[in-house]
Structure formats: structure tokens, C-alpha cells
Amino acid sequence: MKNLLKMSDLSPAELTHILDVADQLKADCKAGRTAPLLAGKSVALLFSKASTRTRTSFEVGVYQMGGLGNYMNTAELQAGRGEPLRDTARVLGRYYDCAVWRTYRQRDLEELAELSGIPVINGLTDYAHPCQVLADLMTIRERRGTLAGLKLCFVGDGSNMANSLIVGGLLAGMQVSCVCPPGYRPAADVLMFAHKYGNAFHLTTDPAEGLRDADIVATAAWNTTAPGTAESEQRLRDFVGFQLTGRLLENAKPDALVLHCLPAHRGEEISTALFEQHADEIFDEAENRLHVQKAVLAVLLAVVTEDEKALTAANGIGKKIAQRVILELKDKLAREEALGGTSVKGGAPAMAAVPHSKKNEAQSALAVLGYGSAEIAAALKDIDMEALTLEDIIRQALKRMMK
């Protein structure tokens, strides 16, 4: 991954890797031991639009990791007086290690990435909002233990949030439904992407149909124009029946999560009562912007990679992730035994690093749990390393050692 311009820049493995790193960085932050992963690094924070969460979470995140985050209102740069983007991009690329830009046109963001020569992160465009959707997926996985197989429903305007949630949810193995009024469909290329996933994606204009049996329901503001304008009044008419309310949510599962990227226009896209009922997950979602963006920065700036040496240098983050994953696997195996061998699926994310052979990686991961080398060697004996995934290799070894 060279940039994060849109969700389709990510592979499923890269998405999982970012979420794994975000989980660990959040745990480290809560424990007061954030590693200075960006020491000596500088990040340009470019804003052409107003911002609360994106600006502050990037500023705080870069600071927590020991780097310099330099906020710039683009209207105050020479770009605001007509300097071509291609010139600004080539200058910033010589000063900074990374750039974040919150702007309007996706094409401008892509030009910045192309000409600056440094990693560029989308802080929001009219087309995509990948940082927000990564935070959404992190929040869902925290509360549900997995992403694969869950049904995610988005209700609202088929713009940046819909575009990014559709792609992110499908990459994560979720079932995705998108509910938009006629004339407010997601981008054509996003729908073409979703078409490849067959029945895993459903687009509808019927809110009740879209929410049916949903595990997660998300929405976003759809009336961001000035109140009283012709466009604002037209949107108020077009979105009648698309407000998330307690009654509409009855179509989803009883324990469905409700997410909102904020700011919320209570009484428009969501009722005041429903927003407050689900405020805990909504503000967890907002907090996770901080942690997931730190993970994106760490991955893009190669302080957390899939290379074992880099992981070791990054204050042992890879080892910590491995330990958490294997502990989750061990707990799952214990529950399997209690259920008489019934398979327990989901929960543990994939291993974040695969630097050498599967056998060496399995040995290292099992050693984290305190097993001796002889015990590990015996448990791994005769396991088909080529045919099985790393997780399945570790699963079989743990089963043997737990008997």
C-alpha cells in the first residue's frame, strides 16, 4: 500500500493488518505506553474543508507517536492565490514524509499523490472517506469480535460514506445493503466493484427491506447545504422516510449497532432518541478515528510492515499482535473442546506478519505463549505446512498441546 486514497486501494489482508495494528495501538494508548513510531517524521495536514474529528485526530495521533503534524488551511497557502496544485505537490513532497488532505475532488487528491512522491491519505473527498470507514470496521470488530458474515446496512445519500462502506464491508467479508432514494445512488464504479460480490451486496430504495436482519446500521448527514436554500429544501423532500428511527430499526436485529460518522443532524438522518440510545457506539466510533489513523500512518511510513525486522524495530508491535491472536485462538480451542469438538468460527483476525516460512512463524507465535522448543517441534510434526493456512497450522498445534 503506497497511499490510502479510497477503500479499494486496500486488499482484504491489508485491511485486516491495519485493524490489527490499530487494536494494538489503542491498547498501548490506554496503557500509557505509545511507542514513538513517527519520531523524526513530519506529516502535512492539508484542509480545504472544515473539520473536527479528522483534523484533531490526526494532530493528536501524530503527536502521540512522536512526529510533527503541520496543519495548513489550503486557502492560506499560495494555492489559495492560484499556485497550481502540481507545484504545491512537488514542494510538499520535498519537505514532508506524508500528507493528509481533506478536499473536494478525488482527482485533485490523486494528483497530489502522483506528483508529491510521498504517501497521501484521504481525509475526506466528495467521493470517499476511507479513514472513517476503517474506524467503523474497527468499532464493529471490537463489539462483535468479527466482521465476516455480518450484515451492514447504510441508509442515506450514496456519496462518500456509502461508496467507502460498500467497498470496505465487502472487502471484510460482510453482507452489505445500501438504501438510497432514487437519484442518490452510489458511484457507478463502486456499484461495478460490488457487482463482483454477487448476492453479498444489495441496493434498494426501500429502508425496511434494506434493514431487514441487519447487524449494523449506519447513516450520515445528507443535508449539508445551507438551510432554506432550494437544494436543502429539495433534499428534505427527497429523503422523507429515510430517517433512522426506533420504528425503522425494528427491521434490523434486536441487538443491532447504530453508527454515525458525525456531525449528526438530529431530526433529519437520525432521530434524537435513537442517536442517544446508541451514543456509546457512535462515540467509540469517533474515538477509533484516532487509533486507526495512527495505524494507517505507521503502515504507510513503514514503521509497521509485514517484515519481521521492521516489526521488531517498531517496539515489538508485531509480537504483541501475534500474542493476542494466538491467545484468542487458544480460547476458541478451549471452547471447542467444551462443546465436544464443534468448530467455533470467527473472532480472531489473521496474523499480521508472515516474514519467513509458515513453520518458523508458527514456532515464533507458539513460543510467545511460553511453550518450549521441543514441545513446539513435537506439536508441529507431520502438519502439512503447504496445504494449511498459518492460523490452521497453529490451531492444530495448540489442539495437540492442550490434550
Side-chain angles (χ1 to χ4, degrees):
M1 183 176 72
K2 295 181 180 179
N3 304 288
L4 181 60
L5 308 181
K6 55 188 182 298
M7 287 302 296
S8 56
D9 288 344
L10 299 173
S11 68
E14 287 171 330
L15 190 156
T16 299
H17 182 54
I18 288 171
L19 297 182
D20 287 344
V21 174
D23 286 345
Q24 186 58 55
L25 290 174
K26 182 174 183 177
D28 287 349
C29 182
K30 298 296 185 184
R33 55 170 187 264
T34 301
L37 300 178
L38 298 187
K41 303 287 186 181
S42 56
V43 180
L45 304 175
L46 303 164
F47 285 79
S48 304
K49 288 185 169 187
S51 174
T52 298
R53 280 150 292 278
T54 301
R55 174 181 174 177
T56 55
S57 56
F58 268 112
E59 285 182 329
V60 171
V62 173
Y63 171 78
Q64 287 181 349
M65 294 196 290
L68 169 68
N70 188 12
Y71 168 79
M72 289 171 274
N73 180 338
T74 55
E76 298 174 354
L77 303 179
Q78 293 296 342
R81 299 174 60 187
E83 182 175 59
L85 174 58
R86 60 182 178 272
D87 293 352
T88 302
R90 286 180 285 188
V91 169
L92 295 179
R94 293 169 183 248
Y95 297 160
Y96 292 93
D97 298 290
C98 180
V100 178
W101 194 10
R102 183 181 182 93
T103 188
Y104 297 89
R105 298 196 311 169
Q106 182 74 14
R107 181 67 194 98
D108 290 343
L109 186 79
E110 292 168 354
E111 185 177 352
L112 176 67
E114 178 184 352
L115 296 177
S116 68
I118 57 175
V120 172
I121 299 170
N122 184 343
L124 177 142
T125 63
D126 292 345
Y127 171 77
H129 201 359
C131 290
Q132 178 63 57
V133 168
L134 286 169
D136 294 353
L137 296 176
M138 179 181 180
T139 306
I140 296 166
R141 201 173 75 161
E142 281 181 334
R143 288 174 169 263
R144 292 292 184 262
T146 189
L147 295 170
L150 297 179
K151 180 178 177 180
L152 167 65
C153 175
F154 175 80
V155 182
D157 189 356
S159 59
N160 47 23
M161 278 302 298
N163 292 337
S164 297
L165 275 169
I166 290 168
V167 176
L170 293 173
L171 286 174
M174 305 178 80
Q175 300 284 319
V176 180
S177 65
C178 184
V179 183
C180 306
Y184 293 90
R185 290 161 60 92
D189 63 318
V190 170
L191 295 179
M192 291 175 63
F193 175 93
H195 181 71
K196 298 184 297 184
Y197 287 81
N199 293 334
F201 176 71
H202 180 56
L203 178 66
T204 181
T205 59
D206 182 348
E209 176 189 343
L211 265 73
R212 189 171 297 121
D213 295 325
D215 298 284
I216 306 99
V217 181
T219 191
W222 40 254
N223 192 15
T224 56
T225 56
T229 61
E231 182 180 353
S232 175
E233 294 301 316
Q234 184 63 53
R235 282 178 169 262
L236 288 172
R237 290 190 293 270
D238 292 344
F239 280 86
V240 169
F242 288 81
Q243 181 184 121
L244 282 189
T245 63
R247 177 168 293 182
L248 183 58
L249 196 66
E250 290 175 0
N251 294 281
K253 290 183 178 177
D255 62 345
L257 300 178
V258 173
L259 299 181
H260 194 304
C261 59
L262 302 178
H265 294 185
R266 294 167 174 82
E268 290 187 356
E269 72 276 1
I270 189 169
S271 70
T272 299
L274 191 66
F275 182 93
E276 294 303 332
Q277 287 168 14
H278 293 270
D280 283 349
E281 59 247 44
I282 290 170
F283 288 101
D284 280 352
E285 174 191 11
E287 178 192 340
N288 284 340
R289 289 289 301 278
L290 170 66
H291 308 298
V292 85
Q293 288 162 192
K294 287 162 66 176
V296 170
L297 287 165
V299 171
L300 278 177
L301 293 174
V303 293
V304 175
T305 72
E306 293 185 359
D307 177 80
E308 186 176 45
K309 292 182 180 179
L311 281 166
T312 301
N315 205 33
I317 282 181
K319 184 177 179 181
K320 293 173 184 176
I321 293 170
Q323 184 177 29
R324 178 177 59 80
V325 171
I326 303 309
L327 285 170
E328 288 175 356
L329 280 170
K330 187 175 182 181
D331 179 63
K332 285 164 63 180
L333 288 167
R335 285 186 283 121
E336 283 185 22
E337 294 297 325
L339 294 170
T342 303
S343 177
V344 180
K345 296 182 179 180
M351 291 292 293
V354 188
H356 299 307
S357 71
K358 292 179 186 176
K359 182 176 181 179
N360 289 343
E361 186 69 19
Q363 288 173 332
S364 299
L366 292 166
V368 168
L369 297 180
Y371 291 108
S373 57
E375 192 176 10
I376 292 171
L380 293 173
K381 186 178 179 181
D382 299 327
I383 291 179
D384 189 342
M385 301 289 172
E386 295 298 323
L388 298 177
T389 65
L390 177 59
E391 180 173 331
D392 285 337
I393 291 169
I394 295 168
R395 182 188 299 276
Q396 286 199 17
L398 283 171
K399 280 183 176 180
R400 291 178 178 181
M401 289 189 284
M402 290 170 65
K403 290 181 178 179

